[in-house]
Amino acid sequence: MKTFKIGGVHPQENKLSASEPIRQAPLPQVAVFPLGQHIGAPAKPIVSKGDVVKVGQPIAEAGGYVSAPIHSSVSGTVLKIDTVIDASGYAKPAVFIQVEGDEWEESIDRSKQLVRLEEHPELTDKDIIAKIQNAGIVGLGGACFPTHVKLSPPPGNKIEWVIINAVECEPYLTADHRLMLEHTDEILVGTTLIMKAVGVTQGFIAIENNKPDAIRLMTEHARAYTGIEVVPLKVKYPQGGEKQLIDAVVGRQVPAPPALPASVGAIIQNVGTAYAVYQAVMKNKPLFERVVTVTGKSLAHPSNLMTRIGTPMNLLIDECGGLPEDTGKIIGGGPMMGKALVNTEVPVCKGSSGILIMTGTDARRAKPGPCIRCGKCVTACPMGLEPYLLADGAAREMWDLLEHNDITSCIECGSCQFTCPAHRPLLDYVRIGKSTVTGIIKSRS
Amino acid sequence: MANQLIVSLSPHVHSGDSVQRNMYGVCIALLPALLCSFWFWGLGAILVTTVSVASCLFVEWSVNKFMLKNPRLTITDGSAVITGLLLAFNLPSNIPLWMVGIGALFAIGVVKMTFGGLGCNLFNPALAARAFMLISFPVEMTTWPTTGQPFTTYADAQTGATPLALIKDAVKTGDASLLDDLPSAFDMLVGATGGCMGEVCALALLLGLGYMLIRHIITWHIPVSIIATVFVITGIMHWMNPVFVSPVIEILSGGLMLGAIFMATDYVTSPMTPKGQLVYGIAIGVLTVIIRTFGAYPEGMSFAILIMNAFTPMINMYCKPQRYGAVEGSDK
């Protein structure tokens, strides 16, 4: 069975909510839309206080090419444009909307009827990309890179494959898994749309073999589509990392930054993004809701919720049985790469794949000891780096050493810190080193 | 509520691995060989082991307690226990106990703690102490009681030559017939031969290796590269001139198995990358054969490892892991 070649770890999977069907999350009273919920320039608000908006109506336009518009996920009145603490922990400008009813834009096709690409032969690659751009779609795996930019690789790159990332290698998260089981054909049509947009005839859907039901279902349904192959992968973290996934599926490695995956002929899209692309192109539905896994060992009912963007997370936690007494940490995303939240009012953004509740005992880090030089971090690193050296160099501010040892290649997957027997905060240090060295390199040019 | 939330950077989970798990894992891997030494040498072996482990723990505790500004309780991490066990494994079972105490003082006090304690020492503490004792107490360190005398007091034990001493004599005199006195390969595998307490029973040591590989405490690179290198080189030598002993006997004799499995694989003093570990292992193998064949001592393993310990920082500097996406020819 295929997997990536260098490094990797195997955290406990803990997919508590894997058998929970996706259900609709309740509507919030006030929905909050941070303007910077994607990589690139923040969106610019186009509504003001007192405006009445419908579900799916744009409330902020893209702030540049690498940016994305934001659509209201609720109907109601704009309360204010103020700051809110988002998943990053910083206060960011946001649009607040008082929810009144649930009135959708008429242009959105709310029927369940599947529309295949063959029914719309008039769609060109440019039409598809334009619709994706207007729908505000960004990478839903968590990176939130605007999808239309990714689908328009710089000239000179010959794209050969589209790889749909359905690996979901983060422990606990099951949103992508459920989406595949419940919206199989929509994902496959979304994949054909992405393939058409970048002009390739070969698409892969990569799924780790801890989801045999999804592999079986997707493989069966994929027979009705030309050029789509389901690739089962051996379970290994961080297989969902773009670079690792390309290596695992087609056996090519992307050169060091600033090279893009496109330079080896691959475009990666998350399976949730493929679903959103289908909704945007075939149903005229902008990106304003997504599946969020709400989970945790202490949580009464771990669930997968179809959630409107802007819903505060405490509403979702209440929907799943309420915040347990002994909660020590709330993580936006999965346990390996997610961010610890500072409060529970943080709104769900486009990139929020999960909310993980950890008890106080689980959440506390063990006391670090001295490095015993066992080399386990080196073995674990999927980028072939030496985390012990990078962490040590960062602590000593030896920026030259870090640059020569390729610290900028670090993908911050956390495998090194996860595996360290001495519980050393390796990635904390590597992050400091990486951002400093990146700054030094930038200041040179 | 909000102010009680823990906010820290990812990753938020840990594998559960710990220094203790690895260190005590090594101790468990050492058990078969330890029990063999008790079986062969009884009281003497038990006394030497007990004194060695206890003195190592005591020295580490004392240094922490009386000499450091910020005392830490480090004796529970298991590394001093390993040093104690390995030091005992490197001694004859009839050595006077006060010498064992001096060895422990050197191993922990000088080689480990003066360099900064766990993780900072340049040389393998147990091996450096063995080398120190070999120079300080040459007679006591090279008088080997023969096996199978568990009930005699250690001072009265019968002693005999080790296979390596016989091999050395054969090479020196060029008289291959001396090799006829060697025990059979099977005897050497199970340990019916003279030598240090922990080194004689290759089978028990290999059991320990299997355990450490299964528990992912070490990887195969260092032990396999050392044993294979010695096997290949001595194989060629034996094929060219039968005065050199057969490679099977060579890899089963002396401290080779003990060194390759437990000494050279010491985390702190061995390279970090698989590539570096292979370089290190092969170099130890070559040095061992050279010292065994041409050096003054019959045994070369411990010196080979100590020499390569000194090269470990350099190996780490040059043997980088294979970077993801490194395009051939774009070496920077």
Side-chain angles (χ1 to χ4, degrees):
Chain A
M1 189 152 306
K2 287 180 169 181
T3 188
F4 55 98
K5 287 188 275 293
I6 303 175
V9 293
H10 190 175
Q12 278 198 337
E13 292 163 25
N14 287 321
K15 304 275 191 187
L16 310 173
S17 49
S19 54
E20 298 290 327
I22 299 170
R23 59 178 206 274
Q24 198 69 40
L27 284 178
Q29 285 177 326
V30 176
V32 184
F33 303 88
L35 294 169
Q37 42 181 297
H38 44 256
I39 288 182
K44 290 187 211 133
I46 49 173
V47 290
S48 46
K49 186 178 171 178
D51 286 1
V52 176
V53 296
K54 288 182 184 172
V55 175
Q57 183 180 331
I59 52 172
E61 59 179 12
Y65 177 62
V66 183
S67 182
I70 294 168
H71 300 76
S72 179
S73 65
V74 293
S75 59
T77 316
V78 177
L79 272 181
K80 56 179 176 177
I81 296 173
D82 199 356
T83 58
V84 69
I85 292 180
D86 71 358
S88 71
Y90 292 102
K92 299 270 180 69
V95 178
F96 290 67
I97 296 175
Q98 176 80 47
V99 180
E100 292 144 7
D102 191 27
E103 198 185 331
W104 290 42
E105 285 273 29
E106 286 80 28
S107 57
I108 301 171
D109 173 5
R110 297 179 70 178
S111 71
K112 291 250 186 312
Q113 183 69 40
L114 183 77
V115 189
R116 295 186 49 155
L117 179 58
E118 290 80 8
E119 295 163 41
H120 290 278
E122 78 285 356
L123 272 176
T124 65
D125 51 349
K126 289 210 171 58
D127 296 339
I128 295 172
I129 293 178
K131 282 195 167 200
I132 289 171
Q133 184 169 10
N134 292 333
I137 296 177
V138 301
L140 295 185
C144 302
F145 191 78
T147 302
H148 66 273
V149 183
K150 222 168 161 183
L151 296 183
S152 319
N157 294 303
K158 190 183 169 299
I159 305 303
E160 293 166 68
W161 314 284
V162 164
I163 303 175
I164 299 299
N165 184 349
V167 166
E168 204 160 49
C169 61
E170 274 277 3
Y172 289 96
L173 301 188
T174 55
D176 292 350
H177 184 186
R178 290 312 307 183
L179 204 61
M180 284 190 280
L181 294 180
E182 296 175 36
H183 299 280
T184 320
D185 277 294
E186 287 95 324
I187 291 168
L188 287 162
V189 176
T191 308
T192 58
L193 289 170
I194 295 169
M195 285 159 63
K196 171 124 192 188
V198 292
V200 303
T201 51
Q202 176 74 69
F204 297 106
I205 298 180
I207 312 174
E208 283 193 342
N209 69 345
N210 57 357
K211 296 178 267 292
D213 48 353
I215 294 174
R216 207 174 327 114
L217 196 65
M218 292 296 283
T219 311
E220 270 169 32
H221 285 239
R223 288 195 197 110
Y225 301 79
T226 41
I228 299 184
E229 187 190 326
V230 174
V231 186
L233 299 174
K234 193 179 149 199
V235 180
K236 195 159 82 166
Y237 178 87
Q239 194 139 245
E242 227 173 37
K243 293 177 172 171
Q244 281 64 40
L245 192 60
I246 296 172
D247 187 18
V249 176
V250 296
R252 289 198 192 166
Q253 295 194 345
V254 186
L260 297 171
S263 67
V264 292
I267 294 270
I268 315 284
Q269 290 294 343
N270 178 266
V271 66
T273 315
Y275 178 67
V277 165
Y278 167 80
Q279 297 282 0
V281 178
M282 295 308 195
K283 301 281 186 176
N284 261 323
K285 185 182 161 193
L287 176 62
F288 61 74
E289 61 179 359
R290 66 159 298 147
V291 184
V292 179
T293 301
V294 186
T295 183
K297 285 179 185 161
S298 55
L299 197 68
H301 310 293
S303 311
N304 301 292
L305 301 175
M306 184 59 89
T307 310
R308 304 283 174 91
I309 307 290
T311 307
M313 291 188 178
N314 52 13
L315 197 64
L316 304 183
I317 297 170
D318 289 344
E319 176 68 16
C320 300
L323 194 66
E325 277 285 299
D326 57 351
T327 299
K329 193 189 258 183
I330 302 174
I331 298 160
M336 292 301 286
M337 290 186 79
K339 289 199 164 79
L341 304 176
V342 289
N343 64 42
T344 54
E345 278 96 65
V346 170
V348 166
C349 289
K350 290 175 180 176
S352 308
S353 46
I355 302 169
L356 169 61
I357 313 287
M358 287 178 96
T359 62
T361 26
D362 284 354
R364 223 155 264 125
R365 286 183 177 180
K367 208 170 152 237
C371 172
I372 55 168
R373 312 182 69 77
C374 60
K376 290 190 181 189
C377 55
V378 180
T379 315
C381 181
M383 296 305 290
L385 305 175
E386 296 144 287
Y388 78 96
L389 182 71
L390 301 179
D392 197 41
R396 292 165 202 266
E397 308 192 352
M398 297 162 76
W399 312 125
D400 280 358
L401 174 96
L402 299 185
E403 189 181 343
H404 287 123
N405 284 285
D406 306 303
I407 194 167
T408 50
S409 297
C410 173
I411 57 168
E412 303 183 27
C413 67
S415 297
C416 50
Q417 193 169 324
F418 170 82
T419 204
C420 179
H423 292 267
R424 294 185 68 73
L426 295 168
L427 187 51
D428 293 3
Y429 282 112
V430 173
R431 281 197 182 98
I432 294 173
K434 184 182 164 187
S435 62
T436 311
V437 170
T438 310
I440 292 172
I441 294 173
K442 258 190 200 148
S443 70
R444 251 181 242 146
S445 53
Chain B
M1 176 69 236
N3 55 5
Q4 288 168 3
L5 287 179
I6 298 170
V7 178
S8 60
L9 292 170
S10 66
H12 306 285
V13 283
H14 192 271
S15 61
D17 199 0
S18 68
V19 173
Q20 278 89 345
R21 194 198 77 97
N22 286 289
M23 295 295 175
Y24 290 115
V26 176
C27 294
I28 292 171
L30 284 167
L31 273 183
L34 184 69
L35 294 177
C36 280
S37 75
F38 289 174
W39 172 256
F40 291 140
W41 292 294
L43 188 62
I46 293 170
L47 279 176
V48 170
T49 310
T50 314
V51 170
S52 175
V53 173
S55 342
C56 282
L57 287 171
F58 177 73
V59 174
E60 182 151 328
W61 177 82
S62 321
V63 172
N64 274 321
K65 174 93 179 163
F66 301 113
M67 297 175 76
L68 297 187
K69 275 189 193 149
N70 304 308
R72 288 176 306 163
L73 185 72
T74 59
I75 55 168
T76 49
D77 65 24
S79 62
V81 178
I82 296 182
T83 303
L85 285 174
L86 287 179
L87 178 63
F89 273 27
N90 273 297
L91 303 174
S93 59
N94 61 343
I95 190 162
L97 295 179
W98 63 271
M99 291 182 187
V100 180
I102 303 250
L105 181 69
F106 188 80
I108 300 286
V110 178
V111 182
K112 184 178 174 190
M113 299 311 280
T114 43
F115 285 86
L118 179 62
C120 302
N121 47 300
L122 269 176
F123 296 99
N124 184 321
L127 271 187
R130 173 192 153 99
F132 169 79
M133 292 170 78
L134 204 55
I135 297 162
S136 310
F137 319 115
V139 178
E140 290 82 354
M141 282 294 287
T142 50
T143 314
W144 316 103
T146 49
T147 56
Q149 1 179 16
F151 301 112
T152 55
T153 57
Y154 62 95
D156 303 332
Q158 296 280 313
T159 59
T162 65
L164 273 179
L166 289 170
I167 294 168
K168 192 88 184 189
D169 285 345
V171 175
K172 257 189 218 156
T173 56
D175 180 2
S177 68
L178 280 173
L179 294 178
D180 297 342
D181 294 340
L182 276 178
S184 70
F186 179 77
D187 281 348
M188 295 183 67
L189 187 68
V190 297
T193 166
C196 293
M197 282 170 42
E199 70 184 21
V200 290
C201 183
L203 199 60
L205 294 167
L206 286 169
L207 266 178
L209 173 66
Y211 178 79
M212 290 199 292
L213 290 178
I214 290 168
R215 295 271 316 264
H216 297 286
I217 293 170
I218 58 165
T219 57
W220 58 270
H221 300 84
I222 294 175
V224 170
S225 59
I226 294 177
I227 295 169
T229 306
V230 172
F231 189 86
V232 169
I233 299 178
T234 56
I236 294 170
M237 283 161 52
H238 179 67
W239 175 68
M240 283 167 36
N241 184 351
V243 77
F244 297 112
V245 77
S246 88
V248 179
I249 297 289
E250 195 73 55
I251 61 165
L252 290 175
S253 63
L256 195 122
M257 285 287 171
L258 178 63
I261 296 168
F262 289 103
M263 298 291 192
T265 55
D266 170 37
Y267 285 150
V268 181
T269 54
S270 63
M272 309 278 269
T273 64
K275 209 195 294 173
Q277 290 173 350
L278 290 178
V279 170
Y280 172 82
I282 291 168
I284 289 176
V286 172
L287 283 172
T288 303
V289 177
I290 292 175
I291 299 172
R292 280 187 176 185
T293 315
F294 306 107
Y297 286 103
E299 173 58 295
M301 193 65 199
S302 45
F303 293 111
I305 295 174
L306 284 172
I307 291 167
M308 289 315 294
N309 282 170
F311 280 96
T312 293
M314 205 161 128
I315 295 175
N316 279 334
M317 205 190 300
Y318 288 106
C319 294
K320 294 291 175 187
Q322 196 202 334
R323 304 273 198 242
Y324 174 96
V327 186
E328 276 173 49
S330 74
D331 195 48
K332 49 176 177 176

